[in-house]
Amino acid sequence: MEVGSGSGDKAGFFTQGRRWLKALPVKFKANMVAMVRNLKKLGQDDPRRIIHSLKVGLALTLVSTFYYCQPLYSNFGVTAMWAIMTVVVVFEFSVGATLGKGLNRGMATLMAGGLGIGAHHLANLSGHIGEPILLGFFVFLQATISTFLRFFPKIKSRYDYGMLIFILTFSLISVSGYRDDEILEFAHKRLSTISIGGSTCVIISTVVCPVWAGEDLHNLIALNIEKLGNFLEGFGDEYFKRTWGEESKDDKKFLEGYKSVLNSKNSEESLANFAAWQPGHGRFPFRHPWKLYLKVGTLARECAYRIEALNGCLNADIQASSEVGSIIQEACTNLSIESGKALKELALAIKIMVQPSSADSHIENAKSAAKNLKSLLKSGIWEDIDLLKIIPGVTVASILIDVVTCTEKIAESIHELASKAQFKCVKPTLSTEKLHSGQIQSEKSAQMVNCSHVVINVGDLPSPPSESSSAPNPSKQRMEV
Amino acid sequence: MEVGSGSGDKAGFFTQGRRWLKALPVKFKANMVAMVRNLKKLGQDDPRRIIHSLKVGLALTLVSTFYYCQPLYSNFGVTAMWAIMTVVVVFEFSVGATLGKGLNRGMATLMAGGLGIGAHHLANLSGHIGEPILLGFFVFLQATISTFLRFFPKIKSRYDYGMLIFILTFSLISVSGYRDDEILEFAHKRLSTISIGGSTCVIISTVVCPVWAGEDLHNLIALNIEKLGNFLEGFGDEYFKRTWGEESKDDKKFLEGYKSVLNSKNSEESLANFAAWQPGHGRFPFRHPWKLYLKVGTLARECAYRIEALNGCLNADIQASSEVGSIIQEACTNLSIESGKALKELALAIKIMVQPSSADSHIENAKSAAKNLKSLLKSGIWEDIDLLKIIPGVTVASILIDVVTCTEKIAESIHELASKAQFKCVKPTLSTEKLHSGQIQSEKSAQMVNCSHVVINVGDLPSPPSESSSAPNPSKQRMEV
């Protein structure tokens, strides 16, 4: 029996093995197809990725001609590889990051080279036995101190790469000096090949389809505020639909968009850091107030936390009862729509860089809606209703009132940004016409800038407030845009 | 007059200049003192930083002996600098990160070296003119494809550095082959010096006071949950004190701690990524379920969003009126304290790796407090009170009820973690005694592990629930611990 079952197992094993082997090409094909599809999506999501890859390939090929051209090679010899290395490690996605890394690398090499030569000369004085000991001590001391300094938050955020290269170059140059007497030439060659590699990166990344971190930050902040606006504009309607037991079948994506705002702190900070390195270009001068974007971003995140709470109410088991709903629906929906519109106007103002005065009227409307809501809550109509039934509605109302405060703060910070960055001043009456008619259309193509992951599309922005400020169903309206 | 004022300006300028010069040493001294103080604080906050810096210095000094020892130098020659370079770029703060970078670098060098040699031979076949063209094409193709692959999220998170080194090594080896016929030796030397540098890093970082990213993640998650617990434990008391118009003078730090939880996503993810590279050690086996920590972290962040809303209520202009306060105070405070205690028990359970059963009773208590609160809100006692006065209190109550759900979810995920990671099973009755008497004391020293920025101190954990579950003022109690 045992043997039989054993041979059965064996037969089963072979059958399984054969099946597995037969399935292998099919599986392989499926995997390959999935990978190609993923690759295609990656490129379609942000075509700048493809361009960046081609730029890196171009820079590397250019720099490697050092090896092929006899006159160039005779000058630099094997040290030409430093240029290749520099291109590989310095070339980053955005101009700011590339420039920051290149400057860090160049400056650190210069300083560490000087210090390394000094250390080498000092060690040279101490005789044949003392030299390696002293050199070892210098390397140890320098590496320890520099590594510790890298923990400083300020240094870490802007000069981390420079510190790394400082340690590297100092060690290489001071230690090489022990074997190689032409240490000056070594240092000189290293510096010049690194400059060649670095400037190749900077030139290619600036000239060929440049990616500006500052512009990405600018668009990211505008997009985040727009996402908050989208949620708020649709929220009131959605909430009370659920209160009445209706299940709307519309696309619910606008209710999820805000989630990415909750965790955008890191990407905002790194973009602002890169942006600080980049030179003035296009709409952004050299000393553009990038730090103010971080302030706007922080306030937007605070608003997003409130929206997270609203979303919790939307998905709660207990919804507001229909009695309560009928009382507060209008005021809540108005408040929500108006603050949503205000945020979207603010986002648009950032995006096309005009003074955000067109948002002010919406904020005023939202504030008066909040006042209405408060007086409704104050009125005596509640006495006959069970308090437990009121709670969900009251919670929503109270968070919404809080959201208006957040919106005001965001508007203030954007006003500050607009005045510091000298955004264009467009008269309110003009702005609404201008923003929503011809100009938008003409800017659409120019503004189809996609920001790292997501395509920003100005066409998805609010329709004229004069037409739709009391429109009952903003989410449906947007669907048709 | 004009001349006179001009000379006056000049005299003023000189006086200012002299004053500035006189102030210079004082300023310089003040700056130096401030810097030294900052440096000292940096080291005191986390002494592992000092040890890490010394370790880097040691590794570099060790590797640079290649240059000083004649037998070693005659073997490797100038390529010994690759070892130095490897140490500088691979040595990271934690073992996991160092191992990850070292393995990435080693594997990428091996693969790219093989491919580079292949490319060189292929190009060799195409004659003297064709060779540089074909080599350039290979370099371009390889750099473009690899750079594009680096955008893949999965590759970016784990193999980004490997891809970089792949591009670098392939370019260096294939291009060097054009000038140097001993390309095999070049590739071999590069691989062996990199292995020497990499293994030096890995050995020193693992043997000398190792820093385990996994342990940091473990402690960070526990600390975050403890911070949420601290807030909740103190919140009820603090809120109703303000309702009664009292201004408590206690230290309010426990009310701010949760803010760091809101933005901890990135550090959790990178720690989990590093932890996946590290070998088994101490309490953590090789395949410890690090991903579950991320799940717990996400749920903790969701709870932190609710707490942000509670904090908003705490600092709002309008507080609950004293009439409302007197009705809901007890239930709210109980709920808040019990969920705070539950979270702190959960944090402790993670920290000392036992089954979190001791938290279950607190969760039950919190749930029954929530039930109480709901029935209070249902009762008829509200009819005489102005609704607007009720709102702040009701909002707080409703968010607190939401917090209980969050706490339950966190507890569930920690139960899952505890069963997957096979935490010790301590009987509930034992646990409370054990956790809060002798064992804590003995673990205090072992657990004074500080996690990247903050010192985790187990001594700051809850007192026995049997004594204080109905204690009116938990924040004062903690002050005395």
Side-chain angles (χ1 to χ4, degrees):
Chain A
M1 266 299 269
E2 272 180 352
V3 178
S5 92
S7 78
D9 275 0
K10 229 178 202 171
F13 178 79
F14 276 118
T15 329
Q16 270 190 350
R18 214 178 303 147
R19 249 184 239 147
W20 183 81
L21 269 178
K22 258 189 191 166
L24 203 61
V26 183
K27 249 189 194 168
F28 181 75
K29 204 181 154 193
N31 277 341
M32 287 305 287
V33 168
M35 213 185 78
V36 169
R37 199 172 295 140
N38 277 338
L39 277 176
K40 214 173 151 188
K41 197 177 165 295
L42 209 65
Q44 275 170 343
D45 280 353
D46 192 348
R48 298 181 304 174
R49 289 175 180 151
I50 301 172
I51 297 170
H52 171 71
S53 309
L54 291 170
K55 277 155 74 179
V56 174
L58 176 67
L60 258 184
T61 316
L62 270 182
V63 163
S64 61
T65 49
F66 271 75
Y67 271 88
Y68 310 137
C69 293
Q70 188 53 46
L72 285 174
Y73 187 77
S74 56
N75 241 335
F76 292 105
V78 199
T79 50
M81 73 178 169
W82 292 108
I84 293 183
M85 209 175 288
T86 304
V87 169
V88 176
V89 294
V90 163
F91 211 128
E92 293 277 331
F93 189 59
S94 68
V95 179
T98 309
L99 206 58
K101 259 194 158 177
L103 286 177
N104 259 311
R105 191 176 174 102
M107 293 305 295
T109 306
L110 193 67
M111 291 197 300
L115 269 181
I117 291 173
H120 164 70
H121 280 293
L122 213 67
N124 231 353
L125 299 175
S126 61
H128 191 67
I129 301 169
E131 193 182 351
I133 297 172
L134 211 58
L135 276 178
F137 175 70
F138 283 149
V139 167
F140 179 80
L141 196 72
Q142 181 270 139
T144 307
I145 293 176
S146 308
T147 307
F148 189 67
L149 287 179
R150 283 176 73 192
F151 287 112
F152 250 116
K154 269 186 195 168
I155 292 179
K156 188 157 196 70
S157 67
R158 289 206 72 178
Y159 307 108
D160 194 53
Y161 185 67
M163 294 303 286
L164 189 88
I165 296 299
F166 184 84
I167 302 174
L168 183 62
T169 306
F170 181 89
S171 310
L172 282 186
I173 289 198
S174 63
V175 168
S176 304
Y178 184 68
R179 288 289 168 184
D180 195 350
D181 283 336
E182 290 165 345
I183 184 174
L184 259 178
E185 209 193 312
F186 180 72
H188 166 76
K189 271 184 182 169
R190 182 165 155 81
L191 191 63
S192 43
T193 43
I194 282 182
S195 324
I196 290 169
S199 44
T200 309
C201 291
V202 169
I203 291 170
I204 289 184
S205 94
T206 318
V207 173
V208 188
C209 307
V211 173
W212 300 102
E215 196 151 344
D216 278 3
L217 176 65
H218 181 92
N219 290 330
L220 179 66
I221 296 286
L223 181 71
N224 280 352
I225 292 175
E226 196 192 326
K227 280 176 180 170
L228 302 183
N230 279 336
F231 180 95
L232 287 175
E233 229 186 5
F235 170 76
D237 205 60
E238 184 67 29
Y239 184 74
F240 289 102
K241 250 188 209 160
R242 295 198 189 179
T243 302
W244 303 115
E246 288 173 39
E247 265 302 316
S248 57
K249 281 164 194 164
D250 297 348
D251 192 10
K252 289 291 158 14
K253 266 185 191 162
F254 68 95
L255 290 176
E256 298 293 325
Y258 79 93
K259 282 194 192 281
S260 66
V261 184
L262 294 171
N263 289 311
S264 64
K265 187 169 183 258
N266 277 58
S267 47
E268 282 169 19
E269 277 175 0
S270 64
L271 284 177
N273 187 18
F274 297 151
W277 286 104
Q278 71 191 18
H281 64 280
R283 309 183 287 168
F284 305 101
F286 175 53
R287 283 189 173 281
H288 195 72
W290 299 117
K291 281 199 175 162
L292 282 181
Y293 285 90
L294 293 184
K295 192 178 163 192
V296 178
T298 307
L299 291 171
R301 217 158 18 256
E302 268 167 29
C303 187
Y305 297 144
R306 308 284 180 283
I307 287 181
E308 167 83 9
L310 281 180
N311 196 38
C313 296
L314 202 58
N315 299 317
D317 300 332
I318 313 162
Q319 300 282 332
S321 68
S322 49
E323 292 157 291
V324 181
S326 64
I327 301 175
I328 58 169
Q329 171 163 15
E330 204 192 330
C332 277
T333 311
N334 260 351
L335 191 160
S336 167
I337 289 179
E338 286 297 327
S339 30
K341 276 190 194 303
L343 286 175
K344 285 171 84 172
E345 285 285 341
L346 290 169
L348 181 64
I350 293 186
K351 214 172 283 178
I352 58 176
M353 297 182 90
V354 297
Q355 295 286 338
S357 45
S358 58
D360 295 349
S361 63
H362 290 295
I363 290 178
E364 285 311 314
N365 290 346
K367 274 160 99 178
S368 71
K371 222 174 175 180
N372 268 350
L373 194 56
K374 275 183 196 166
S375 62
L376 260 183
L377 297 173
K378 225 177 196 166
S379 65
I381 39 174
W382 301 95
E383 277 170 17
D384 311 334
I385 306 173
D386 176 9
L387 189 66
L388 198 64
K389 283 189 182 165
I390 306 180
I391 293 177
V394 167
T395 309
V396 166
S398 130
I399 300 175
L400 277 176
I401 293 171
D402 212 13
V403 163
V404 176
T405 323
C406 278
T407 309
E408 263 191 279
K409 277 188 197 164
I410 293 176
E412 266 169 38
S413 68
I414 293 178
H415 272 284
E416 190 188 346
L417 171 66
S419 73
K420 283 257 171 74
Q422 298 173 327
F423 284 1
K424 274 169 287 172
C425 195
V426 185
K427 275 191 186 167
T429 45
L430 257 175
S431 88
T432 40
E433 279 174 37
K434 231 181 153 181
L435 296 185
H436 302 288
S437 58
Q439 196 187 339
I440 279 271
Q441 290 304 325
S442 67
E443 291 224 23
K444 236 182 185 173
S445 53
Q447 294 273 331
M448 278 283 286
V449 180
N450 33 19
C451 159
S452 193
H453 303 291
V454 199
V455 176
I456 297 175
N457 188 346
V458 174
D460 202 29
L461 276 156
S463 40
S466 53
E467 287 170 25
S468 64
S469 65
S470 58
N473 193 344
S475 64
K476 269 198 184 147
Q477 272 208 338
R478 195 182 29 255
M479 290 303 128
E480 294 155 17
V481 172
Chain B
M1 269 301 269
E2 272 183 349
V3 177
S5 95
S7 79
D9 274 2
K10 229 177 204 173
F13 178 78
F14 277 118
T15 330
Q16 272 192 349
R18 215 178 303 147
R19 247 185 241 148
W20 183 81
L21 269 178
K22 258 188 192 168
L24 202 61
V26 184
K27 249 189 193 168
F28 181 75
K29 204 182 154 192
N31 277 341
M32 287 305 287
V33 168
M35 212 186 80
V36 169
R37 200 172 295 139
N38 277 338
L39 277 176
K40 213 173 151 188
K41 198 179 163 297
L42 208 65
Q44 276 170 342
D45 280 354
D46 192 347
R48 297 181 304 174
R49 290 175 180 151
I50 301 172
I51 297 171
H52 170 71
S53 309
L54 291 170
K55 277 156 75 180
V56 173
L58 176 68
L60 257 184
T61 316
L62 270 183
V63 164
S64 60
T65 48
F66 271 76
Y67 272 87
Y68 311 136
C69 293
Q70 188 53 48
L72 284 175
Y73 187 77
S74 54
N75 240 336
F76 292 106
V78 201
T79 49
M81 73 176 170
W82 292 108
I84 294 183
M85 208 175 288
T86 304
V87 168
V88 176
V89 293
V90 163
F91 212 128
E92 292 278 330
F93 189 59
S94 67
V95 178
T98 309
L99 207 56
K101 260 193 156 177
L103 286 178
N104 259 310
R105 193 177 172 100
M107 292 305 295
T109 305
L110 193 67
M111 290 198 301
L115 270 181
I117 291 174
H120 163 70
H121 279 295
L122 214 66
N124 231 352
L125 297 176
S126 60
H128 192 66
I129 301 170
E131 193 182 352
I133 297 174
L134 212 58
L135 277 178
F137 175 71
F138 284 148
V139 168
F140 178 81
L141 196 72
Q142 180 271 139
T144 306
I145 293 175
S146 308
T147 307
F148 188 67
L149 287 179
R150 284 176 74 192
F151 286 112
F152 249 116
K154 268 186 196 169
I155 291 179
K156 188 158 196 68
S157 66
R158 291 205 72 176
Y159 306 108
D160 195 53
Y161 185 66
M163 294 304 285
L164 188 88
I165 296 299
F166 185 84
I167 301 174
L168 183 62
T169 306
F170 180 88
S171 310
L172 281 186
I173 289 197
S174 62
V175 169
S176 305
Y178 184 69
R179 290 289 167 182
D180 196 350
D181 282 337
E182 288 165 348
I183 185 174
L184 259 177
E185 211 192 312
F186 180 72
H188 167 76
K189 272 185 181 168
R190 181 166 156 82
L191 191 62
S192 43
T193 43
I194 282 182
S195 329
I196 291 169
S199 45
T200 310
C201 290
V202 169
I203 291 170
I204 291 184
S205 93
T206 317
V207 173
V208 187
C209 307
V211 174
W212 300 101
E215 197 151 343
D216 278 4
L217 175 64
H218 181 91
N219 290 330
L220 178 66
I221 296 286
L223 180 72
N224 280 351
I225 292 175
E226 196 192 326
K227 280 177 179 168
L228 302 183
N230 279 337
F231 180 95
L232 287 175
E233 229 187 6
F235 170 77
D237 206 59
E238 184 68 27
Y239 184 74
F240 290 103
K241 251 189 207 159
R242 295 199 187 178
T243 302
W244 303 114
E246 287 174 40
E247 265 302 314
S248 57
K249 281 163 195 163
D250 298 347
D251 192 9
K252 290 291 158 16
K253 266 185 190 162
F254 69 93
L255 289 176
E256 298 293 325
Y258 79 92
K259 282 194 192 281
S260 66
V261 184
L262 294 171
N263 290 311
S264 64
K265 187 170 183 257
N266 276 59
S267 46
E268 282 170 19
E269 277 175 359
S270 64
L271 284 177
N273 186 19
F274 297 151
W277 287 104
Q278 71 191 20
H281 65 280
R283 307 183 289 167
F284 306 102
F286 175 52
R287 284 189 172 280
H288 197 69
W290 299 117
K291 281 199 174 162
L292 282 181
Y293 284 90
L294 294 184
K295 191 180 164 191
V296 177
T298 307
L299 291 171
R301 220 161 11 259
E302 268 167 29
C303 186
Y305 297 145
R306 308 285 181 283
I307 286 181
E308 167 82 9
L310 280 180
N311 196 38
C313 297
L314 202 58
N315 298 317
D317 300 331
I318 313 162
Q319 300 283 331
S321 68
S322 48
E323 291 158 290
V324 180
S326 63
I327 301 173
I328 59 169
Q329 172 163 14
E330 205 191 328
C332 277
T333 311
N334 261 350
L335 191 162
S336 166
I337 289 179
E338 286 297 327
S339 30
K341 276 188 196 303
L343 286 175
K344 285 170 84 172
E345 285 285 342
L346 289 169
L348 181 63
I350 292 185
K351 215 171 281 179
I352 59 177
M353 298 181 90
V354 297
Q355 294 287 337
S357 45
S358 58
D360 295 348
S361 63
H362 290 295
I363 290 178
E364 285 310 314
N365 290 346
K367 272 160 99 178
S368 71
K371 220 174 174 181
N372 269 348
L373 195 56
K374 275 183 197 167
S375 63
L376 261 182
L377 295 174
K378 225 176 195 168
S379 68
I381 38 175
W382 299 95
E383 279 171 14
D384 311 333
I385 306 173
D386 177 10
L387 189 67
L388 198 64
K389 283 188 181 166
I390 306 179
I391 292 176
V394 167
T395 308
V396 165
S398 129
I399 301 175
L400 278 176
I401 293 172
D402 211 15
V403 163
V404 177
T405 322
C406 278
T407 309
E408 265 191 277
K409 276 188 196 163
I410 294 176
E412 266 169 38
S413 67
I414 294 178
H415 271 286
E416 190 189 347
L417 171 66
S419 74
K420 282 258 172 74
Q422 298 175 326
F423 284 1
K424 273 169 287 173
C425 195
V426 185
K427 274 189 190 168
T429 46
L430 258 175
S431 87
T432 40
E433 278 174 38
K434 234 181 153 181
L435 297 185
H436 302 288
S437 59
Q439 195 187 341
I440 280 273
Q441 290 303 323
S442 67
E443 292 226 20
K444 236 181 184 173
S445 52
Q447 295 272 330
M448 278 283 284
V449 180
N450 31 20
C451 159
S452 191
H453 304 290
V454 199
V455 176
I456 297 175
N457 188 346
V458 174
D460 201 29
L461 276 157
S463 40
S466 53
E467 286 171 25
S468 65
S469 65
S470 58
N473 193 343
S475 64
K476 269 196 184 148
Q477 272 206 340
R478 195 182 28 254
M479 291 303 129
E480 295 155 17
V481 172

